[in-house]
């Protein structure tokens, strides 16, 4: 599971950069303190991916900590990324692959 997860996280990062959705500046501490899902009240979704999801998942993997039981980011990603003119299909694909790492069929 973790090899696919690591690949998905790397590809999400690469796609954010390729789509020019990667930010050189981090959100404010106030924005990071949001308790809303995906920090939707304080930052764009792509910033949440970059500054919340990617670092937190990497920290869990690096520290060999337990991973969440269920992850479902794709529905929010589909809505949030629809507003961009860029072709976000590959980014959505990798977000879906990331979600799939947590499916316990």
């Amino acid at each position: 599971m973790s090899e696919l997860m690591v690949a998905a996280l790397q590809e999400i990062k690469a796609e954010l950069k390729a789509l020019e959705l990667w930010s050189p500046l981090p959100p404010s501490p106030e924005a990071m303190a949001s308790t809303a899902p995906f920090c939707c009240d304080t930052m764009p979704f792509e910033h949440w991916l970059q500054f919340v999801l990617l670092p937190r998942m990497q920290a869990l993997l690096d520290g060999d900590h337990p991973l969440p039981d269920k992850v479902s980011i794709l529905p929010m990603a589909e809505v949030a990324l629809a507003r961009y003119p860029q072709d976000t299909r590959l980014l959505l694909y990798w977000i879906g692959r990331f979600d799939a790492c947590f499916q316990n069929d």
Side-chain angles (χ1 to χ4, degrees):
M1 172 172 78
S2 64
E3 284 183 29
L4 176 57
M5 185 181 306
V6 169
L9 292 171
Q10 290 171 343
E11 293 297 332
I12 290 168
K13 180 178 180 178
E15 272 306 295
L16 286 171
K17 289 181 176 183
L19 295 168
E20 298 182 353
L21 296 175
W22 191 261
S23 176
L25 301 174
S28 69
E30 294 80 18
M32 293 294 291
S34 172
T35 58
F38 307 103
C39 298
C40 64
D41 59 340
T42 60
M43 67 180 76
F45 179 74
E46 65 271 14
H47 288 186
W48 178 83
L49 288 171
Q50 178 182 348
F51 295 106
V52 179
L53 177 72
L54 293 175
R56 286 186 183 170
M57 290 307 303
Q58 193 62 56
L60 290 175
L61 291 169
D62 290 347
D64 200 27
H65 297 290
L67 298 174
D69 291 331
K70 179 90 171 129
V71 172
S72 184
I73 298 168
L74 186 58
M76 178 64 176
E78 290 170 333
V79 171
L81 297 173
R83 67 185 175 112
Y84 292 106
Q86 298 100 315
D87 183 353
T88 59
R89 288 179 292 182
L90 191 53
L91 177 57
L92 291 170
Y93 169 80
W94 284 108
I95 291 171
R97 297 296 295 147
F98 175 77
D99 281 0
C101 292
F102 299 91
Q103 307 250 334
N104 298 321
D105 294 336

